[in-house]
Amino acid sequence: MSLEPIVLVHGGAGDIPRERVEGKLEGVRLAATIGYRKLQETGNVLDAVEEAVRSMELDPYFNAGYGSVLTSDGNVEMEASIMNGATLRAGCVSLVNDIYHPISLARKVMKTPHNFLAGDGAMRLAEQEGIQKLEPGQLVTDYARIALEEWREGQLRGEMEYARTEIGAKNKYKDKGEFGTVGAVAIDIEGNIAVATSTGGITGKLPGRVGDTPLVGAGTYADNRVGGVSTTGHGETIMRYSLAHEILKRIEFLGQSAQEATKNSCRSMTERLIGTAGAITIDFEGRVGISFTSERMAWAYLKGNTMHYGIEQDQHLTQRV
Ligand code: ASP
């Protein structure tokens, strides 16, 4: 089998404010370029998705690594997952802080006998692996601080907390904080697929809250026989719907195209559970699916010498590179 390599990325689904649109588009195009170069350099899809995500983890336009949103008590608690579609091996981390690249720590978890490390144990692995430890607060941006202040003001006004009710999920998630979980899916000429996803979670989350992003089947899934998916949006909703896995099951068992499966799954999820989300997919034949039920989601992919990108519903722009 000989396919055209693709690196596809997203920069988070949500009610993204207009003034953040350009910065996010630049960030996703850059990440797709960096991931694609890495794929050409090493020929390894895991390297490609890790590198694409690392670039967005350093970019304050995204809610991952530097620029992560804050918990209700003002701290960063990050999560990430990475999966190899050839072996179905996965590495996942949650409740990590003071490192720039949770995705690289997630990849290190793949070397252990486990799939998932959280909190102190994950931080101990980071230390053993020589991952740079930052000073407390170094990942916190003004934007994240302001988002938390707005969230707290909303709480004082008695607005419903998203985590508590489904209606609240919709309203609150629409209004507050940064939407910029990041993800990447890559396929090489032999049909090897890898997926990586990284996030700071949602503004005002309770300390210790775990979302969809580090969960295999919800935030991330990769299987060379079917495809790869990275999701973003309201974590409590995505998790209950196993969104990444749902998309791949539609491809596998219903024979839907990557685009149909991605769109139908996101829509069915939002109809049933109210919370909104977006997803990016590449199927085993290298077909791409991109869909979101939120207002916006930044995405980009590089295939051959064309960059494809967009952020609005039904927007698909191209640029020769
Ligand atoms: N899914 C992430 C979470 O709920 C947030 C996002 O994608 O914006 O933690």
Side-chain angles (χ1 to χ4, degrees):
M1 180 159 52
S2 181
L3 296 167
E4 255 198 283
I6 304 170
V7 175
L8 166 65
V9 306
H10 71 73
D15 221 6
I16 298 164
R18 200 162 292 282
E19 69 272 14
R20 304 285 283 176
V21 163
E22 267 319 305
K24 283 189 193 284
L25 279 176
E26 241 172 70
V28 288
R29 285 190 303 247
L30 179 67
T33 307
I34 288 175
Y36 194 85
R37 265 195 224 133
K38 193 73 185 178
L39 184 56
Q40 286 176 318
E41 204 180 291
T42 69
N44 181 332
V45 281
L46 279 169
D47 290 346
V49 292
E50 181 185 354
E51 211 57 32
V53 164
R54 281 174 67 96
S55 131
M56 293 184 282
E57 284 176 334
L58 284 185
D59 185 335
Y61 272 97
F62 301 108
N63 167 21
Y66 178 64
S68 285
V69 301
L70 305 176
T71 62
S72 57
D73 56 8
N75 293 316
V76 166
E77 287 182 359
M78 301 175 292
E79 323 185 280
S81 57
I82 186 164
M83 188 162 181
N84 182 349
T87 58
L88 304 193
R89 283 210 59 126
C92 313
V93 293
S94 184
L95 307 177
V96 300
N97 195 355
D98 301 331
I99 57 171
Y100 277 127
H101 297 297
I103 199 61
S104 296
L105 181 56
R107 191 160 175 197
K108 300 285 186 205
V109 173
M110 291 174 114
K111 299 199 301 193
T112 75
H114 309 297
N115 293 342
F116 200 144
L117 291 179
D120 287 348
M123 294 312 297
R124 214 177 304 162
L125 179 68
E127 200 184 319
Q128 280 161 15
E129 292 289 340
I131 290 178
Q132 184 193 357
K133 181 101 164 88
L134 307 172
E135 293 302 318
Q138 232 180 299
L139 296 170
V140 180
T141 59
D142 285 345
Y143 196 83
R145 259 192 221 107
I146 292 166
L148 181 63
E149 273 163 33
E150 285 176 3
W151 178 85
R152 282 182 177 146
E153 281 160 20
Q155 296 291 293
L156 292 176
R157 283 196 302 271
E159 287 174 13
M160 277 191 292
E161 199 178 318
Y162 53 76
R164 303 265 159 84
T165 72
E166 289 181 346
I167 300 293
K170 191 178 180 200
N171 295 341
K172 182 64 75 176
Y173 200 68
K174 255 173 107 58
D175 291 337
K176 296 285 183 290
E178 178 60 280
F179 307 98
T181 290
V182 303
V185 184
I187 189 166
D188 69 10
I189 49 169
E190 285 163 7
N192 289 306
I193 296 171
V195 179
T197 315
S198 179
T199 191
I202 46 181
T203 296
K205 65 184 181 179
L206 295 174
R209 177 261 192 187
V210 175
D212 58 307
T213 303
L215 301 182
V216 159
T220 292
Y221 206 84
D223 181 349
N224 285 4
R225 296 181 187 182
V226 191
V229 179
S230 171
T231 71
T232 168
H234 186 248
E236 280 67 15
T237 304
I238 294 171
M239 198 190 279
R240 286 152 66 207
Y241 209 68
S242 299
L243 182 60
H245 207 245
E246 165 79 18
I247 292 170
L248 294 179
K249 293 302 123 183
R250 281 175 188 258
I251 294 172
E252 188 173 10
F253 298 125
L254 300 181
Q256 295 184 353
S257 70
Q259 182 56 32
E260 275 170 348
T262 309
K263 187 172 168 183
N264 295 343
S265 301
C266 290
R267 288 202 175 165
S268 303
M269 185 202 78
T270 298
E271 268 164 34
R272 178 123 188 240
L273 299 175
I274 301 174
T276 61
I280 56 171
T281 306
I282 300 178
D283 74 11
F284 64 105
E285 289 180 321
R287 288 174 302 198
V288 168
I290 297 158
S291 194
F292 46 101
T293 53
S294 53
E295 191 184 332
R296 296 191 168 101
M297 180 181 81
W299 60 269
Y301 68 91
L302 191 53
K303 180 178 178 180
N305 51 13
T306 307
M307 176 71 74
H308 303 250
Y309 62 99
I311 191 165
E312 309 288 348
Q313 290 290 349
D314 299 320
Q315 184 183 36
H316 189 140
L317 304 166
T318 55
Q319 187 179 303
R320 300 275 285 188
V321 292

